[in-house]
Amino acid sequence: MDERLKIIKEKFVELEAELAKPEVLSDFQKVKELSKQKSDLAETVAKYEEYKKCCSDLEELYAMKNDPEMAEMISAEIETLEEMKTRTYHELEILLIPKDENDGKNIIMEIRGAAGGDEANIFAGDLFRMYSYYADKQGWKIEVIHSVDGTSGGFSQIECMIKGESVYSKLKYESGSHRVQRIPSTETQGRVHTSTATVLVMPEVEDASIEIKESDIKMDVYHSSGAGGQSVNTSNSAVRLTHVPTGVVVTCQTERSQLNNREQAMRLLKIKINDEIVRKQEEATGRERKSKIGTGDRSEKIRTYNYPQNRVTDHRINYSIMDLEKVMDGYLDPIVEALITEDQRLKLEGTQLDA
């Protein structure tokens, strides 16, 4: 690890020197590119300097340890610095884990009612509400792209875009089957039912990264309804696009014009096609999807929301929190942080095993 950190430090110094050159300063694009590279290394370099100083201070203290007049004070200082050295070393290990290139991106989230009929759709609505509250707490913006109401409430399907800082890094673990255990409002005999809703999280992709031929797209238009479409439901403003080669279908009805709905649908189509390409590539190579925490497949049961026991359990990391109401009100930080921590541990293990 020390060798890798030395290389990173050398690269950081080189970037500083490049950014000081007059010919570089006059090139805005070059400055932007080099500044981004430098920024990406800055935290690791600062932590490496902290670690080196800690090691240097420890060497000096160990050299002075035999001084009888200062032995007690030095021993206490050594203990403090050893703890700091261990903590800083672990923080450096985390910083050296390869970054997911999608972590800083916005996302498209798709939630569908699955097994359980009306109760599954109601639960899908509860999940959307939970993620909306969480997004608000994070300072993110959420935009509904398409929704189909459930007959008894909630949604049989809802798709939204969540925009903000590092959205994908925190919500990428949410893909999968979410299970609820509770007494439905429609239940007359007080029996606990089990229902499921599925969540799919996809990172936003750059327009240039996916090229779609117009000849491969089938477009249908129809009356808008529901959120965003109530004022225009007398005209054919809603748009459904089908990508014929892959069979991927997207719908957008939230904008007031057919043109705007088509533009939004095209963005969604590119994201879904990219997600499908990535999924097939990872299936072909036998790699786990999205992260080492889980496959991200919607058939995989990842979490249970047990209302009678006031418990939420994430089955991938065997983590439970006994405050279901708070979780449903968007208090997801403990679960998200536990997932990130476990993912980092597994990646560190993988690095050690591969070495």
Side-chain angles (χ1 to χ4, degrees), residues 211-274:
E211 188 176 341
I212 300 175
K213 296 178 182 177
E214 284 292 331
S215 58
D216 288 339
I217 299 174
K218 177 189 174 187
M219 185 173 88
D220 298 302
V221 294
Y222 58 97
H223 294 331
S224 294
S225 62
Q230 292 170 349
S231 62
V232 289
N233 59 10
T234 57
S235 63
N236 291 333
S237 60
V239 171
R240 181 187 298 110
L241 299 181
T242 303
H243 186 242
V244 178
T246 60
V248 173
V249 180
V250 300
T251 304
C252 184
Q253 62 182 42
T254 55
E255 303 296 329
R256 292 181 179 273
S257 74
Q258 187 183 118
L259 179 62
N260 289 340
N261 275 323
R262 191 183 191 284
E263 288 178 358
Q264 184 78 298
M266 278 298 295
R267 290 173 63 198
L268 181 57
L269 188 63
K270 289 181 179 181
I271 291 168
K272 286 198 169 187
I273 290 173
N274 180 72

Side-chain angles (χ1 to χ4, degrees), residues 91-267:
E91 289 169 350
L92 279 169
E93 283 186 314
I94 300 300
L95 286 169
L96 287 176
I97 293 173
K99 299 285 191 298
D100 186 332
E101 63 181 17
N102 292 319
D103 275 352
K105 294 183 178 180
N106 301 325
I107 67 162
I108 292 292
M109 176 178 279
E110 178 185 289
I111 306 172
R112 292 175 181 262
D118 288 343
E119 171 64 4
N121 293 340
I122 292 169
F123 180 50
D126 293 340
L127 289 177
F128 175 69
R129 174 179 169 274
M130 177 185 78
Y131 291 122
S132 297
Y133 284 162
Y134 180 65
D136 186 59
K137 292 176 193 296
Q138 299 296 313
W140 299 337
K141 183 180 179 183
I142 188 163
E143 300 174 2
V144 174
I145 296 170
H146 172 62
S147 65
V148 180
D149 293 342
T151 54
S152 299
F155 302 98
S156 65
Q157 177 185 351
I158 184 165
E159 291 172 305
C160 62
M161 174 168 275
I162 305 179
K163 299 178 179 180
E165 184 178 351
S166 303
V167 180
Y168 185 74
S169 69
K170 293 186 176 181
L171 291 181
K172 63 183 175 182
Y173 306 105
E174 296 303 302
S175 288
S177 179
H178 295 241
R179 180 174 69 173
V180 63
Q181 294 175 322
R182 63 185 178 189
I183 302 171
S185 57
T186 53
E187 169 59 46
T188 58
Q189 299 181 34
R191 293 174 299 184
V192 173
H193 288 223
T194 298
S195 304
T196 59
T198 61
V199 176
L200 182 61
V201 173
M202 297 165 282
E204 190 176 18
V205 295
E206 300 295 331
D207 281 346
S209 61
I210 296 289
E211 188 176 341
I212 300 175
K213 296 178 182 177
E214 284 292 331
S215 58
D216 288 339
I217 299 174
K218 177 189 174 187
M219 185 173 88
D220 298 302
V221 294
Y222 58 97
H223 294 331
S224 294
S225 62
Q230 292 170 349
S231 62
V232 289
N233 59 10
T234 57
S235 63
N236 291 333
S237 60
V239 171
R240 181 187 298 110
L241 299 181
T242 303
H243 186 242
V244 178
T246 60
V248 173
V249 180
V250 300
T251 304
C252 184
Q253 62 182 42
T254 55
E255 303 296 329
R256 292 181 179 273
S257 74
Q258 187 183 118
L259 179 62
N260 289 340
N261 275 323
R262 191 183 191 284
E263 288 178 358
Q264 184 78 298
M266 278 298 295
R267 290 173 63 198

Side-chain angles (χ1 to χ4, degrees), residues 286-346:
R287 289 184 290 138
E288 295 164 320
R289 192 179 184 207
K290 303 299 183 190
S291 72
K292 292 191 175 185
I293 286 293
T295 66
D297 193 298
R298 277 195 273 193
S299 64
E300 179 193 15
K301 182 185 72 179
I302 64 168
R303 195 175 298 151
T304 294
Y305 304 75
N306 187 303
Y307 278 72
Q309 296 178 17
N310 190 37
R311 171 175 50 82
V312 179
T313 299
D314 195 289
H315 304 289
R316 295 163 295 179
I317 56 175
N318 197 28
Y319 175 88
S320 293
I321 182 169
M322 306 300 293
D323 200 342
L324 184 146
E325 185 176 344
K326 201 171 180 181
V327 170
M328 299 310 291
D329 282 340
Y331 185 64
L332 283 173
D333 281 329
I335 298 173
V336 170
E337 288 166 11
L339 286 162
I340 290 172
T341 299
E342 180 64 6
D343 194 32
Q344 289 172 340
R345 186 189 70 78
L346 289 171

